[in-house]
Amino acid sequence: MAAHTHPRQNLTELTARLRQHAQRITGPRQLILEVLRREEHPLTARQIHEQLDCDLATVYRSLRLLEEMAMVKRFDFGDGTARFELLGQNDDGHHHHLVCRECSTVVEIGECFSGNLEQRIANQHGFASVSHRLEFFGLCPDCQAA
Amino acid sequence: MAAHTHPRQNLTELTARLRQHAQRITGPRQLILEVLRREEHPLTARQIHEQLDCDLATVYRSLRLLEEMAMVKRFDFGDGTARFELLGQNDDGHHHHLVCRECSTVVEIGECFSGNLEQRIANQHGFASVSHRLEFFGLCPDCQAA
DNA sequence: GTCTACTTGCAAATGATTTGCAATAAGGGG
DNA sequence: CCCCTTATTGCAAATCATTTGCAAGTAGAC
């Protein structure tokens, strides 16, 4: 998964991609990638901000940029707060999560239903470039005990 | 699907369920159900409010109550605004949507992947009462043409 | 009809995210 | 290595969806 990327790789890739967008390699942008690289689960903008020393608005702006450059992926756990995960260079980030309804523990899920279903749905309704958002919710072992 | 419920049925069910919760049958609560019954797609609190004549806060409070009573179901299309759909008495509301990324046209999707996958994921990680949230996004026929 | 607890309207509070703008810094050119 | 242009940042204020406090209003049991 994405979190295993070597730090230098991030920076190299960041530089390359930023060049393509004619944008600059700044401290905050590098730092956000560092923070995300350290975490194996998606983080909220606020959580990222807590580990940095720049403005929260900058975090939001950078995340948006990194998302457009496909270096981070946004996830939505339905609690009104976006979460972000690092993407590797050849990683399309297609995976899902299993989230505990009580304590918010997150487990990454690699599996997914067959692309078949998506294709069928697209065809059936004449839609193009169909993608999906899928997350699982439940009670983790600890919270079942409690 | 839920939208085919007869109006009187709504009211009867509403009365019954409200009784169970020791709560009152008020104008706004009935009206919200009426509005939802007329629509075949999920509506935002604001959209419901526009068709009524009560406070927005009341709409939010009522929707929350109706959701707890399993009379409406909340959907999240990832745009930061919750949407609500009416549920019939014996309807668990388990269905998904295919949403156009351009014009937000919504199509209801009855199919889903086999419960098998969900079961396997739950077992694999020791989670209980696992459910999922799944929505599809794409370009509708009209927007492909444009 | 009365009474009481549940509800509503209204205004203000919250929380996530965005935006305007002046000050600052990245990086190509000399 | 300095300069200059332009992207970027920090800060404060604005947005947006949703929630909440509170006094006034009203279902519904008696």
Side-chain angles (χ1 to χ4, degrees):
Chain A
M1 226 132 274
H4 307 139
T5 315
H6 183 77
R8 188 121 334 268
Q9 223 161 27
N10 274 335
L11 191 52
T12 306
E13 196 190 350
L14 173 62
T15 305
R17 297 212 190 174
L18 281 174
R19 285 237 177 77
Q20 290 170 15
H21 290 245
Q23 270 146 341
R24 292 171 185 171
I25 300 160
T26 66
R29 288 174 188 174
Q30 291 177 56
L31 289 173
I32 287 173
L33 289 180
E34 289 299 307
V35 171
L36 287 175
R37 203 178 48 75
R38 287 201 295 270
E39 304 289 334
E40 52 176 323
H41 293 311
L43 294 182
T44 64
R46 189 169 298 280
Q47 289 172 322
I48 294 171
H49 175 243
E50 281 164 6
Q51 300 189 42
L52 294 179
D53 173 40
C54 70
D55 198 80
L56 182 56
T58 298
V59 174
Y60 276 108
R61 280 187 283 229
S62 299
L63 284 171
R64 182 180 271 255
L65 176 70
L66 292 170
E67 186 190 9
E68 282 165 10
M69 302 192 330
M71 293 198 64
V72 306
K73 181 162 178 180
R74 175 189 304 257
F75 286 94
D76 177 2
F77 290 176
D79 67 347
T81 309
R83 303 185 188 238
F84 302 85
E85 253 184 33
L86 188 61
L87 285 186
Q89 44 282 277
N90 303 310
D91 182 359
D92 71 343
H94 190 79
H95 64 269
H96 305 288
H97 301 91
L98 172 55
V99 186
C100 178
R101 274 190 284 261
E102 282 297 329
C103 68
S104 297
T105 288
V106 176
V107 179
E108 313 236 333
I109 303 293
E111 326 177 56
C112 188
F113 50 81
S114 101
N116 211 336
L117 174 61
E118 186 161 277
Q119 194 51 246
R120 188 161 7 114
I121 287 175
N123 293 160
Q124 230 163 72
H125 303 282
F127 273 55
S129 7
V130 172
S131 62
H132 64 267
R133 180 197 310 292
L134 168 65
E135 307 296 349
F136 296 88
F137 302 90
L139 279 181
C140 75
D142 287 357
C143 290
Q144 287 170 56
Chain B
M1 227 132 273
H4 307 140
T5 315
H6 183 79
R8 189 119 334 265
Q9 223 160 29
N10 274 332
L11 191 52
T12 306
E13 196 189 350
L14 173 62
T15 305
R17 298 211 189 175
L18 281 173
R19 285 237 176 77
Q20 289 170 15
H21 289 245
Q23 269 145 344
R24 294 173 183 169
I25 301 160
T26 66
R29 289 174 187 174
Q30 292 177 54
L31 289 173
I32 288 174
L33 290 180
E34 289 298 305
V35 170
L36 287 174
R37 202 178 50 75
R38 288 202 294 269
E39 304 290 332
E40 53 176 323
H41 294 311
L43 294 181
T44 64
R46 189 169 298 281
Q47 290 172 322
I48 293 171
H49 175 243
E50 282 164 3
Q51 300 189 43
L52 294 180
D53 172 41
C54 70
D55 198 79
L56 220 204
T58 297
V59 174
Y60 277 107
R61 281 188 282 229
S62 299
L63 283 171
R64 182 179 269 253
L65 176 69
L66 292 170
E67 186 189 10
E68 283 165 10
M69 302 194 326
M71 292 198 65
V72 306
K73 181 162 180 181
R74 176 189 304 257
F75 287 94
D76 178 2
F77 290 175
D79 66 347
T81 309
R83 297 175 196 245
F84 302 84
E85 252 183 33
L86 188 61
L87 286 185
Q89 44 281 278
N90 303 311
D91 181 1
D92 71 345
H94 190 77
H95 63 270
H96 305 290
H97 300 91
L98 172 55
V99 186
C100 178
R101 273 191 285 263
E102 283 295 330
C103 68
S104 298
T105 287
V106 176
V107 178
E108 313 235 333
I109 303 293
E111 325 178 57
C112 186
F113 50 81
S114 100
N116 211 336
L117 173 61
E118 187 162 276
Q119 194 51 246
R120 186 159 11 111
I121 287 174
N123 292 162
Q124 229 164 72
H125 303 281
F127 273 55
S129 6
V130 173
S131 62
H132 64 267
R133 181 199 308 295
L134 169 65
E135 305 296 349
F136 296 89
F137 302 89
L139 280 180
C140 75
D142 287 358
C143 291
Q144 287 170 56

PDB file of all heavy atoms in Angstrom, chain A residues 10-26:
ATOM      1  N   ASN A  10       8.889  10.193  -2.426  1.00  0.00           N
ATOM      2  CA  ASN A  10       7.839  11.188  -2.326  1.00  0.00           C
ATOM      3  C   ASN A  10       8.306  12.512  -2.893  1.00  0.00           C
ATOM      4  O   ASN A  10       7.618  13.155  -3.666  1.00  0.00           O
ATOM      5  CB  ASN A  10       7.513  11.473  -0.849  1.00  0.00           C
ATOM      6  CG  ASN A  10       6.504  10.492  -0.309  1.00  0.00           C
ATOM      7  OD1 ASN A  10       5.737   9.942  -1.071  1.00  0.00           O
ATOM      8  ND2 ASN A  10       6.528  10.294   0.973  1.00  0.00           N
ATOM      9  N   LEU A  11       9.461  12.919  -2.422  1.00  0.00           N
ATOM     10  CA  LEU A  11       9.962  14.228  -2.780  1.00  0.00           C
ATOM     11  C   LEU A  11      10.244  14.317  -4.276  1.00  0.00           C
ATOM     12  O   LEU A  11       9.891  15.284  -4.932  1.00  0.00           O
ATOM     13  CB  LEU A  11      11.245  14.520  -1.984  1.00  0.00           C
ATOM     14  CG  LEU A  11      11.703  15.971  -2.090  1.00  0.00           C
ATOM     15  CD1 LEU A  11      10.546  16.899  -1.738  1.00  0.00           C
ATOM     16  CD2 LEU A  11      12.876  16.207  -1.163  1.00  0.00           C
ATOM     17  N   THR A  12      10.846  13.258  -4.798  1.00  0.00           N
ATOM     18  CA  THR A  12      11.138  13.234  -6.224  1.00  0.00           C
ATOM     19  C   THR A  12       9.844  13.323  -7.018  1.00  0.00           C
ATOM     20  O   THR A  12       9.723  14.113  -7.951  1.00  0.00           O
ATOM     21  CB  THR A  12      11.838  11.914  -6.595  1.00  0.00           C
ATOM     22  OG1 THR A  12      12.972  11.766  -5.748  1.00  0.00           O
ATOM     23  CG2 THR A  12      12.292  11.941  -8.041  1.00  0.00           C
ATOM     24  N   GLU A  13       8.915  12.518  -6.593  1.00  0.00           N
ATOM     25  CA  GLU A  13       7.655  12.504  -7.322  1.00  0.00           C
ATOM     26  C   GLU A  13       6.942  13.842  -7.186  1.00  0.00           C
ATOM     27  O   GLU A  13       6.387  14.368  -8.143  1.00  0.00           O
ATOM     28  CB  GLU A  13       6.773  11.379  -6.770  1.00  0.00           C
ATOM     29  CG  GLU A  13       5.633  11.063  -7.706  1.00  0.00           C
ATOM     30  CD  GLU A  13       4.628  10.141  -7.055  1.00  0.00           C
ATOM     31  OE1 GLU A  13       4.917   9.619  -5.968  1.00  0.00           O
ATOM     32  OE2 GLU A  13       3.553   9.972  -7.648  1.00  0.00           O
ATOM     33  N   LEU A  14       6.982  14.366  -5.968  1.00  0.00           N
ATOM     34  CA  LEU A  14       6.339  15.659  -5.724  1.00  0.00           C
ATOM     35  C   LEU A  14       6.915  16.699  -6.666  1.00  0.00           C
ATOM     36  O   LEU A  14       6.190  17.431  -7.341  1.00  0.00           O
ATOM     37  CB  LEU A  14       6.574  16.088  -4.272  1.00  0.00           C
ATOM     38  CG  LEU A  14       6.099  17.500  -3.915  1.00  0.00           C
ATOM     39  CD1 LEU A  14       4.592  17.625  -4.106  1.00  0.00           C
ATOM     40  CD2 LEU A  14       6.481  17.859  -2.484  1.00  0.00           C
ATOM     41  N   THR A  15       8.242  16.738  -6.714  1.00  0.00           N
ATOM     42  CA  THR A  15       8.912  17.719  -7.562  1.00  0.00           C
ATOM     43  C   THR A  15       8.458  17.573  -9.008  1.00  0.00           C
ATOM     44  O   THR A  15       8.050  18.532  -9.648  1.00  0.00           O
ATOM     45  CB  THR A  15      10.428  17.502  -7.490  1.00  0.00           C
ATOM     46  OG1 THR A  15      10.825  17.535  -6.120  1.00  0.00           O
ATOM     47  CG2 THR A  15      11.154  18.595  -8.251  1.00  0.00           C
ATOM     48  N   ALA A  16       8.497  16.345  -9.488  1.00  0.00           N
ATOM     49  CA  ALA A  16       8.118  16.088 -10.872  1.00  0.00           C
ATOM     50  C   ALA A  16       6.682  16.531 -11.144  1.00  0.00           C
ATOM     51  O   ALA A  16       6.414  17.253 -12.101  1.00  0.00           O
ATOM     52  CB  ALA A  16       8.260  14.604 -11.167  1.00  0.00           C
ATOM     53  N   ARG A  17       5.802  16.133 -10.252  1.00  0.00           N
ATOM     54  CA  ARG A  17       4.400  16.457 -10.508  1.00  0.00           C
ATOM     55  C   ARG A  17       4.106  17.942 -10.371  1.00  0.00           C
ATOM     56  O   ARG A  17       3.289  18.493 -11.081  1.00  0.00           O
ATOM     57  CB  ARG A  17       3.513  15.665  -9.548  1.00  0.00           C
ATOM     58  CG  ARG A  17       3.653  14.178  -9.761  1.00  0.00           C
ATOM     59  CD  ARG A  17       2.373  13.460  -9.479  1.00  0.00           C
ATOM     60  NE  ARG A  17       2.593  12.028  -9.461  1.00  0.00           N
ATOM     61  CZ  ARG A  17       1.659  11.147  -9.128  1.00  0.00           C
ATOM     62  NH1 ARG A  17       0.464  11.553  -8.776  1.00  0.00           N
ATOM     63  NH2 ARG A  17       1.922   9.856  -9.140  1.00  0.00           N
ATOM     64  N   LEU A  18       4.795  18.565  -9.428  1.00  0.00           N
ATOM     65  CA  LEU A  18       4.560  19.992  -9.257  1.00  0.00           C
ATOM     66  C   LEU A  18       5.032  20.736 -10.494  1.00  0.00           C
ATOM     67  O   LEU A  18       4.398  21.672 -10.955  1.00  0.00           O
ATOM     68  CB  LEU A  18       5.293  20.501  -8.014  1.00  0.00           C
ATOM     69  CG  LEU A  18       4.585  20.199  -6.692  1.00  0.00           C
ATOM     70  CD1 LEU A  18       5.446  20.612  -5.515  1.00  0.00           C
ATOM     71  CD2 LEU A  18       3.241  20.910  -6.624  1.00  0.00           C
ATOM     72  N   ARG A  19       6.147  20.304 -11.048  1.00  0.00           N
ATOM     73  CA  ARG A  19       6.658  20.942 -12.258  1.00  0.00           C
ATOM     74  C   ARG A  19       5.604  20.919 -13.348  1.00  0.00           C
ATOM     75  O   ARG A  19       5.354  21.904 -14.010  1.00  0.00           O
ATOM     76  CB  ARG A  19       7.895  20.180 -12.754  1.00  0.00           C
ATOM     77  CG  ARG A  19       9.124  20.446 -11.924  1.00  0.00           C
ATOM     78  CD  ARG A  19      10.286  20.975 -12.747  1.00  0.00           C
ATOM     79  NE  ARG A  19      11.413  21.285 -11.861  1.00  0.00           N
ATOM     80  CZ  ARG A  19      12.219  20.359 -11.342  1.00  0.00           C
ATOM     81  NH1 ARG A  19      12.026  19.082 -11.631  1.00  0.00           N
ATOM     82  NH2 ARG A  19      13.195  20.711 -10.542  1.00  0.00           N
ATOM     83  N   GLN A  20       4.995  19.754 -13.480  1.00  0.00           N
ATOM     84  CA  GLN A  20       3.969  19.610 -14.508  1.00  0.00           C
ATOM     85  C   GLN A  20       2.845  20.626 -14.328  1.00  0.00           C
ATOM     86  O   GLN A  20       2.223  21.055 -15.283  1.00  0.00           O
ATOM     87  CB  GLN A  20       3.350  18.211 -14.452  1.00  0.00           C
ATOM     88  CG  GLN A  20       4.291  17.109 -14.915  1.00  0.00           C
ATOM     89  CD  GLN A  20       3.718  15.736 -14.616  1.00  0.00           C
ATOM     90  OE1 GLN A  20       2.536  15.613 -14.320  1.00  0.00           O
ATOM     91  NE2 GLN A  20       4.553  14.711 -14.700  1.00  0.00           N
ATOM     92  N   HIS A  21       2.587  20.968 -13.102  1.00  0.00           N
ATOM     93  CA  HIS A  21       1.503  21.906 -12.835  1.00  0.00           C
ATOM     94  C   HIS A  21       2.030  23.324 -12.689  1.00  0.00           C
ATOM     95  O   HIS A  21       1.299  24.208 -12.298  1.00  0.00           O
ATOM     96  CB  HIS A  21       0.763  21.506 -11.557  1.00  0.00           C
ATOM     97  CG  HIS A  21      -0.034  20.255 -11.704  1.00  0.00           C
ATOM     98  ND1 HIS A  21      -1.404  20.232 -11.616  1.00  0.00           N
ATOM     99  CD2 HIS A  21       0.336  18.981 -11.946  1.00  0.00           C
ATOM    100  CE1 HIS A  21      -1.833  18.993 -11.793  1.00  0.00           C
ATOM    101  NE2 HIS A  21      -0.800  18.202 -11.985  1.00  0.00           N
ATOM    102  N   ALA A  22       3.323  23.502 -12.934  1.00  0.00           N
ATOM    103  CA  ALA A  22       3.933  24.822 -12.797  1.00  0.00           C
ATOM    104  C   ALA A  22       3.680  25.388 -11.410  1.00  0.00           C
ATOM    105  O   ALA A  22       3.284  26.525 -11.241  1.00  0.00           O
ATOM    106  CB  ALA A  22       3.387  25.759 -13.870  1.00  0.00           C
ATOM    107  N   GLN A  23       3.880  24.526 -10.404  1.00  0.00           N
ATOM    108  CA  GLN A  23       3.696  25.008  -9.059  1.00  0.00           C
ATOM    109  C   GLN A  23       4.912  24.739  -8.209  1.00  0.00           C
ATOM    110  O   GLN A  23       5.802  24.004  -8.621  1.00  0.00           O
ATOM    111  CB  GLN A  23       2.432  24.389  -8.446  1.00  0.00           C
ATOM    112  CG  GLN A  23       1.233  25.267  -8.725  1.00  0.00           C
ATOM    113  CD  GLN A  23      -0.030  24.481  -8.919  1.00  0.00           C
ATOM    114  OE1 GLN A  23       0.010  23.286  -9.188  1.00  0.00           O
ATOM    115  NE2 GLN A  23      -1.148  25.144  -8.785  1.00  0.00           N
ATOM    116  N   ARG A  24       4.951  25.342  -7.057  1.00  0.00           N
ATOM    117  CA  ARG A  24       6.192  25.314  -6.282  1.00  0.00           C
ATOM    118  C   ARG A  24       6.293  24.278  -5.190  1.00  0.00           C
ATOM    119  O   ARG A  24       5.313  23.889  -4.586  1.00  0.00           O
ATOM    120  CB  ARG A  24       6.405  26.701  -5.692  1.00  0.00           C
ATOM    121  CG  ARG A  24       6.710  27.663  -6.811  1.00  0.00           C
ATOM    122  CD  ARG A  24       6.729  29.084  -6.353  1.00  0.00           C
ATOM    123  NE  ARG A  24       6.916  29.934  -7.518  1.00  0.00           N
ATOM    124  CZ  ARG A  24       6.819  31.253  -7.499  1.00  0.00           C
ATOM    125  NH1 ARG A  24       6.537  31.866  -6.381  1.00  0.00           N
ATOM    126  NH2 ARG A  24       6.997  31.935  -8.595  1.00  0.00           N
ATOM    127  N   ILE A  25       7.498  23.883  -4.957  1.00  0.00           N
ATOM    128  CA  ILE A  25       7.767  22.910  -3.910  1.00  0.00           C
ATOM    129  C   ILE A  25       8.019  23.668  -2.621  1.00  0.00           C
ATOM    130  O   ILE A  25       9.087  24.222  -2.421  1.00  0.00           O
ATOM    131  CB  ILE A  25       9.014  22.102  -4.282  1.00  0.00           C
ATOM    132  CG1 ILE A  25       8.754  21.401  -5.608  1.00  0.00           C
ATOM    133  CG2 ILE A  25       9.357  21.120  -3.173  1.00  0.00           C
ATOM    134  CD1 ILE A  25      10.001  20.972  -6.324  1.00  0.00           C
ATOM    135  N   THR A  26       7.041  23.695  -1.779  1.00  0.00           N
ATOM    136  CA  THR A  26       7.165  24.500  -0.564  1.00  0.00           C
ATOM    137  C   THR A  26       7.271  23.610   0.656  1.00  0.00           C
ATOM    138  O   THR A  26       6.949  22.422   0.594  1.00  0.00           O
ATOM    139  CB  THR A  26       5.930  25.391  -0.412  1.00  0.00           C
ATOM    140  OG1 THR A  26       4.804  24.552  -0.179  1.00  0.00           O
ATOM    141  CG2 THR A  26       5.721  26.227  -1.649  1.00  0.00           C
TER     142      THR A  26
END
